[in-house]
Amino acid sequence: MTEPRPSEPPPYVVDQMISAKAIAARVEDLAAEITTAFAGTRKLVVVGLLRGSFVFIADLVREIDLPVEVDFLEASSYGDALESSREVRILKDLRGEIAGRDVLVVEDIVDTGFTLHHVKNLLLSRGPKRLEICALLDKPARREVPIKATWTGFEIPDEFVVGYGIDYGQRNRNLPFIGKVRFTGAG
Ligand code: IMP
Ligand code: MG
């Protein structure tokens, strides 16, 4: 299913918030903790939530010193807007089975918590042996559903951010750093 082409947003600039270097250092730490936590696993199924986690998961798995399998799931709550719709739909399901397996869900941002809450319950219903969550960013001030990732890269204030895989209306995913969107239009 295709989506409508994103409309032109009002003019904005992106102010750097977390540098590429700071992200790389944190990803290394997270991967070390994950490697320790899942030591002895036969294979870790790393589940990336599309599309925002694609850069993060690519960097993270290359630092995890365990046998891994990579799978993807796409849930949608934002569309191209700045606000969560609070209604989570599964647009693309996993290809593999996770029953009885060690699973790490990788998310870009936990905001209201609706997405992760829904995805976590869905995956838990399939009977994994163990399921943990690693989120790059967390905006605790915005939480509406109580959920916390096992590992969080950075806690950030209530700002709309882009870069390192994260978009605003499908823009800016290719920025190597994370920055906040600042609108520049008059009025
Ligand atoms: P939640 O369901 O409100 O927790 O929304 C989580 C999802 O919303 C994330 O996976 C992102 O795709 C998206 N999202 C939340 N905050 C931002 C942001 O600041 N920039 C871009 N996307 C965001
Ligand atoms: Mg997302």
Side-chain angles (χ1 to χ4, degrees):
M1 198 185 68
T2 56
E3 61 193 356
R5 192 177 299 182
S7 54
E8 276 303 311
Y12 68 93
V13 293
V14 178
D15 297 329
Q16 180 170 302
M17 187 187 245
I18 308 170
S19 71
K21 208 173 152 191
I23 298 169
R26 189 69 186 118
V27 168
E28 229 181 272
D29 290 349
L30 292 169
E33 288 181 33
I34 291 163
T35 299
T36 303
F38 283 101
T41 184
R42 269 189 55 227
K43 208 196 260 172
L44 179 63
V45 185
V46 182
V47 173
L49 301 196
L50 292 172
R51 283 169 260 180
S53 72
F54 82 103
V55 175
F56 180 38
I57 196 176
D59 283 346
L60 190 68
V61 292
R62 284 180 289 178
E63 300 283 345
I64 294 176
D65 191 13
L66 297 169
V68 305
E69 201 171 287
V70 175
D71 206 340
F72 292 98
L73 185 133
E74 184 171 10
S76 173
S77 71
Y78 258 59
D80 286 322
L82 288 167
E83 267 290 316
S84 170
S85 66
R86 288 165 184 75
E87 196 184 272
V88 183
R89 288 179 302 146
I90 299 299
L91 302 177
K92 182 207 168 294
D93 206 339
L94 297 178
R95 293 297 304 274
E97 304 253 345
I98 57 164
R101 310 193 59 187
D102 288 320
V103 176
L104 177 71
V105 176
V106 176
E107 171 64 312
D108 56 353
I109 310 183
V110 191
D111 188 54
T112 63
F114 278 97
T115 306
L116 209 48
H117 178 76
H118 183 92
V119 168
K120 185 182 179 186
N121 287 341
L122 173 73
L123 298 185
L124 283 177
S125 75
R126 297 177 185 176
K129 180 169 153 219
R130 178 174 175 192
L131 183 146
E132 306 290 349
I133 298 164
C134 180
L136 178 64
L137 304 175
D138 189 353
K139 295 196 233 177
R142 304 244 324 150
R143 197 73 86 260
E144 294 179 28
V145 179
I147 186 156
K148 204 164 167 31
T150 319
W151 297 281
T152 299
F154 302 90
E155 283 198 0
I156 60 167
D158 182 9
E159 303 277 3
F160 195 83
V161 296
V162 293
Y164 197 69
I166 300 162
D167 74 304
Y168 171 32
Q170 303 309 325
R171 292 171 191 79
N172 307 123
R173 289 194 197 274
N174 56 332
L175 288 176
F177 56 87
I178 290 164
K180 64 177 180 187
V181 168
R182 178 163 55 87
F183 292 99
T184 55

